[in-house]
Amino acid sequence: MNRIAVLTLCLVSSCNGFVANQPVTPGVLKCNFGAQERCQLRKKPELNSLPEVWEAYNAALETDPLITKSITAGVILGAADCAGQLLENKSRNDSDEKEFDLVRAVRFAIFGLVLQAPWNHFYYLVLDGVLPPTEDPFTAVTFEKVIIDQFVQAPIFTVLIFYFLGLLEGKSIEGVQKQLDADYKDTMLANWKLWVPATVVNIGFCPPLFRVLFLNCVFFFWSIFLSLKLNKEEEV
């Protein structure tokens, strides 16, 4: 038994020495943790072009659709408020210019992250489940979806926008309701001018996976309008 143990130790020592003395090729690390194993160090793919970025974004939409859409909406809506603040300052005299309100931009980013993207993600899942997409963009199904979207969903979601952003800003429920009474009608009229044709394009031509992305892009301009509308009291 002692001879067998000594022989075993010699063999293990020889193997260890053999592995340790092998040259390490670039990108490959040879490790020995009681056995001969090769651990390849793989470089993370670098995103050097727009097609690669787009491919990575599509992969993220496939694997984590809600998180990807939410982060995208947060970035776009935060940027939209920044644009809105720039437009506000351009319309003022130099003496009346305001400092950039970072908290206000963050509020819009939170709105996109927490409400806008999740709401539309699940809303389109339900809508497409009840009325499956059609290959032909101009069908009765598309027409029904646009009607539901703009004359059922949009009025409800607009009320949620007023309350979410108003309460996040620190307004009371009474204050938000007062703003709704003053601005809701004009907001909905402006909404239909933009969103009825945009919804036709979105539902009729966009693949379901990219509908929230298309909506986020249009929402950039809509959020500028909302930013100016909801914050107009600050200018008084």
Side-chain angles (χ1 to χ4, degrees):
M1 291 297 293
N2 291 335
R3 292 180 179 179
I4 295 174
V6 171
L7 179 60
T8 303
L9 288 174
C10 291
L11 289 173
V12 170
S13 299
S14 299
C15 292
N16 287 343
F18 174 77
V19 172
N21 293 327
Q22 293 301 308
V24 178
T25 58
V28 176
L29 176 64
K30 297 190 176 182
C31 309
N32 181 27
F33 298 99
Q36 296 181 21
E37 296 179 355
R38 292 184 179 182
C39 304
Q40 293 187 351
L41 301 179
R42 298 179 180 177
K43 294 182 179 180
K44 294 183 178 179
E46 297 179 0
L47 304 178
N48 296 322
S49 65
L50 285 177
E52 291 176 347
V53 172
W54 178 246
E55 184 179 350
Y57 184 79
N58 289 341
L61 279 177
E62 292 281 359
T63 56
D64 298 295
L66 180 57
I67 294 175
T68 304
K69 293 172 185 178
S70 297
I71 293 174
T72 304
V75 172
I76 290 176
L77 270 62
D81 183 76
C82 294
Q85 293 190 50
L86 290 175
L87 290 175
E88 286 177 1
N89 277 332
K90 282 187 177 181
S91 64
R92 297 188 180 105
N93 297 325
D94 293 340
S95 59
D96 296 331
E97 284 189 4
K98 285 187 174 184
E99 292 185 0
F100 176 75
D101 188 348
L102 178 61
V103 174
R104 174 176 147 183
V106 170
R107 284 200 300 268
F108 265 81
I110 292 173
F111 160 63
L113 180 72
V114 175
L115 179 61
Q116 193 267 344
W119 170 277
N120 285 289
H121 171 76
F122 291 110
Y123 162 71
Y124 279 118
L125 287 178
V126 173
L127 186 64
D128 287 338
V130 176
L131 298 170
T134 58
E135 292 184 5
D136 187 354
F138 302 107
T139 63
V141 173
T142 300
F143 179 76
E144 290 177 38
K145 285 184 171 181
V146 172
I147 295 298
I148 293 171
D149 187 274
Q150 285 303 297
F151 298 97
V152 178
Q153 184 269 153
I156 296 172
F157 188 54
T158 300
V159 172
L160 291 178
I161 292 174
F162 272 80
Y163 271 98
F164 185 92
L165 290 173
L167 295 176
L168 197 62
E169 186 181 347
K171 294 178 181 177
S172 64
I173 294 179
E174 292 77 12
V176 175
Q177 187 60 51
K178 182 179 178 182
Q179 190 172 34
L180 268 172
D181 294 338
D183 296 331
Y184 183 73
K185 181 179 178 180
D186 291 341
T187 301
M188 287 309 305
L189 290 174
N191 170 90
W192 289 323
K193 291 176 182 178
L194 172 66
W195 282 107
V196 168
T199 302
V200 171
V201 174
N202 197 17
I203 292 177
F205 296 95
C206 288
L209 186 64
F210 299 114
R211 283 182 182 163
V212 175
L213 176 61
F214 175 83
L215 184 147
N216 284 335
C217 293
V218 180
F219 221 98
F220 175 85
F221 301 99
W222 180 241
S223 293
I224 293 175
F225 170 83
L226 289 176
S227 177
L228 298 174
K229 192 79 170 175
L230 297 177
N231 291 282
K232 67 178 182 180
E233 290 183 359
E234 297 179 3
E235 301 174 12
V236 178

